[in-house]
Amino acid sequence: MKNMLTIISNALCRITGKNAGVQTVSELLIDLSEYVNITSPAVPSMATTQRQPPKPPPVSTRASDTGLVRGQGTGLDSPGARIVVSSRSFADFTPQATFDIKKCEVHRLEEGPPVTAELTREQGLQYYRTMQTVRRMELKADQLYKQKIIRGFCHLYDGQEACAMGIEAAINSTDHLITAYRAHGYTYTRGVSVKHILAELTGRKGGVAKGKGGSMHMYAPQFYGGNGIVGAQVPLGAGIALACQYKGNNQVCVSLYGDGAANQGQIFESFNMAALWKLPCIFICENNKYGMGTSVERASASTDYYRRGDYIPGLRVDGMDVLCVREATKFAADHCRAGKGPILMELQTYRYHGHSMSDPGVSYRTRDEIQEVRTKSDPIAMLKDRMLSNNMAAAEEFKEIDVAIRKEIEEAAQFATLDPEPPLDELCNHIFHNEPPLEVRGTNPWSKLKSIS
């Protein structure tokens, strides 16, 4: 083998004028790729080892009439062979496919969302990247909390990524969203970077709320938090929807709450006012099966949360499928924009962590239960498998995305650890919006602190 490499290296040196030297097979292929098209058909001796991409299962595609160009592989398990596989062009992949999705249960509706969903290759990769970023961000938050770099309350969102991504894919950036304290995922989908989210969790000056909000109080344009009081965001969401109606801007407000908040009286008061005034509000219950450490069956006489609006139409949706959530939210948004009033959605989802970082999450449910959900219903794995089985992406692409995300998360964590905490003289700043500086009484009647908006 070494003699063969020497002969090839010398030949390459004569052809290119470069001092190639003895190299590995993969290094030689990289050098030769500048002069030879390595994606051309293999020589006859290798023809029997060629691999074709797996044949997609029967789905309807818009690209079926044009045909697909198949990538030429060698079947060798060497690094050089992997170069050939990863060099496939966009034309090698199915650009768009239609998938069957779970039918939504409906309440007070003649028809519900469609039972099929179209997905383009670009959308699929975007959804995967977003959900995987949220997953990795939450796992990093778990690590930082256990290292005592993050303190206080911290409620993680891993497992529920399809809810946030599906909702964002269905509404406009100008629409409004408000949620409870499990808010990191929505903070990211609303446009805040991982760097500023993690810095907020660690209480640093570079955080999205300048280190003063922490896990439960993060904000962005058209995103109103992150609220620590159970259920309090629901009437606030109804108020935002009232503002949309008053302004006549054809915008909607998504007001989210958990199954643990579903029995709050203020939620039903909000339902009543929204129905009376036909507010463009989508009330969404993220039912992750457990309110703190209590299962829904033990906490609610009726677990049909999508029917709890009574006179308000409702949908029960598979919250682990990003396409299901997207199509149901589109349906709900169209309902609101048509002037039909509010609509209620129940997203059946699951959280992998406990209620908060102070909850191990295994005293009221088994580890086997969590693992079963991870194995059978993980939203990220479901999307990835769909795309791979229908030739919409290559496994190498997902690996590259994962590597880039891990790098982004590590850099954000480093910033969140090294960034300074806000100085004490900024403690009372930003109490009011667009107000002149004022004095705030401190720890005793004689100490005064300046507040600047």
Side-chain angles (χ1 to χ4, degrees):
M1 175 61 75
K2 187 173 181 179
N3 292 335
M4 182 65 69
L5 286 174
T6 302
I7 294 171
I8 298 174
S9 297
N10 291 336
L12 180 62
C13 182
R14 289 194 297 271
I15 294 172
T16 64
K18 295 180 181 180
N19 185 14
V22 178
Q23 306 177 70
T24 64
V25 174
S26 59
E27 289 172 336
L28 281 171
L29 283 172
I30 292 172
D31 285 346
L32 283 169
S33 66
E34 300 180 18
Y35 302 92
V36 180
N37 181 10
I38 63 172
T39 61
S40 59
V43 294
S45 60
M46 291 186 177
T48 58
T49 64
Q50 288 184 344
R51 290 186 300 186
Q52 295 292 334
K55 186 177 180 180
V59 296
S60 59
T61 64
R62 290 186 176 178
S64 58
D65 55 340
T66 59
L68 298 174
V69 180
R70 298 297 186 184
Q72 298 287 341
T74 65
L76 296 176
D77 291 326
S78 65
R82 286 195 293 271
I83 295 172
V84 178
V85 175
S86 63
S87 66
R88 293 194 297 173
S89 67
F90 292 131
D92 295 326
F93 299 108
T94 305
Q96 183 168 312
T98 302
F99 297 94
D100 293 332
I101 57 176
K102 186 177 179 180
K103 184 178 181 181
C104 296
E105 297 178 60
V106 299
H107 169 65
R108 294 180 69 94
L109 288 167
E110 294 182 0
E111 60 180 1
V115 293
T116 60
E118 292 183 352
L119 179 70
T120 66
R121 169 182 152 81
E122 290 74 18
Q123 287 173 337
L125 292 175
Q126 176 198 347
Y127 297 169
Y128 179 86
R129 185 178 294 107
T130 299
M131 291 195 292
Q132 189 71 288
T133 300
V134 173
R135 174 74 56 86
R136 292 290 173 185
M137 177 178 68
E138 296 296 64
L139 294 178
K140 177 57 68 174
D142 170 273
Q143 180 183 343
L144 294 174
Y145 195 96
K146 290 173 179 173
Q147 294 172 350
K148 298 186 177 181
I149 297 174
I150 294 175
R151 300 294 188 106
F153 295 103
C154 187
H155 304 80
L156 302 182
Y157 198 70
D158 50 319
Q160 300 183 209
E161 296 89 353
C163 298
M165 185 65 256
I167 291 170
E168 286 293 352
I171 63 175
N172 303 322
S173 59
T174 53
D175 290 322
H176 308 264
L177 191 146
I178 186 168
T179 188
Y181 39 74
R182 202 177 303 280
H184 307 163
Y186 290 102
T187 307
Y188 179 74
T189 61
R190 289 268 98 183
V192 179
S193 68
V194 176
K195 171 181 171 181
H196 294 129
I197 293 172
L198 290 182
E200 187 59 40
L201 292 177
T202 58
R204 307 302 170 126
K205 190 175 180 180
V208 61
K210 302 185 184 299
K212 301 176 184 179
S215 176
M216 294 192 285
H217 305 287
M218 302 183 188
Y219 310 95
Q222 283 75 52
F223 177 60
Y224 307 86
N227 293 264
I229 305 300
V230 176
Q233 71 280 1
V234 180
L236 294 177
I240 296 168
L242 176 61
C244 294
Q245 184 188 70
Y246 184 79
K247 293 180 178 180
N249 52 23
N250 201 36
Q251 295 172 3
V252 302
C253 179
V254 177
S255 185
L256 295 120
Y257 59 98
D259 54 275
N263 298 320
Q264 286 274 321
Q266 58 190 324
I267 290 180
F268 296 95
E269 294 171 16
S270 303
F271 288 171
N272 182 60
M273 296 180 72
L276 283 172
W277 297 341
K278 294 189 179 299
L279 299 182
C281 191
I282 306 174
F283 296 105
I284 299 183
C285 174
E286 288 182 291
N287 177 10
N288 60 25
K289 307 294 191 294
Y290 296 95
M292 296 188 71
T294 306
S295 67
V296 294
E297 291 81 9
R298 294 181 60 205
S300 298
S302 170
T303 59
D304 291 336
Y305 296 108
Y306 72 109
R307 295 176 178 269
R308 299 277 286 271
D310 189 10
Y311 37 79
I312 296 177
L315 300 168
R316 174 178 275 168
V317 185
D318 181 359
M320 302 300 277
D321 184 346
V322 65
L323 298 183
C324 268
V325 177
R326 187 191 70 181
E327 295 306 310
T329 307
K330 281 182 182 178
F331 179 90
D334 291 342
H335 176 95
C336 291
R337 295 190 212 278
K340 298 178 181 178
I343 191 168
L344 176 59
M345 290 172 55
E346 175 191 346
L347 304 183
Q348 293 189 314
T349 184
Y350 199 84
R351 54 171 165 82
Y352 293 158
H353 270 83
H355 171 71
S356 69
M357 284 302 300
S358 60
D359 168 26
V362 291
S363 60
Y364 50 86
R365 59 181 183 177
T366 64
R367 296 183 187 276
D368 290 340
E369 176 184 316
I370 302 170
Q371 187 58 39
E372 183 179 8
V373 176
R374 283 181 176 273
T375 303
K376 296 181 179 180
S377 305
D378 185 79
I380 299 175
M382 186 187 305
L383 175 64
K384 180 180 178 180
D385 291 344
R386 272 177 171 160
M387 295 188 70
L388 288 175
S389 62
N390 287 277
N391 194 40
M392 299 183 75
E396 289 81 2
E397 288 183 279
F398 292 114
K399 291 178 183 177
E400 291 173 3
I401 292 172
D402 292 344
V403 169
I405 289 172
R406 287 192 180 96
K407 181 181 178 183
E408 178 187 2
I409 299 297
E410 289 302 324
E411 291 175 350
Q414 185 176 15
F415 172 80
T417 305
L418 300 177
D419 192 52
E421 296 179 356
L424 189 61
D425 56 10
E426 291 187 12
L427 179 65
C428 296
N429 288 354
H430 309 105
I431 294 177
F432 297 98
H433 175 61
N434 289 339
E435 290 287 339
L438 68 152
E439 291 184 337
V440 181
R441 192 175 73 182
T443 55
N444 62 68
W446 300 278
S447 67
K448 296 293 181 70
L449 299 171
K450 286 286 185 181
S451 177
I452 301 175
S453 298

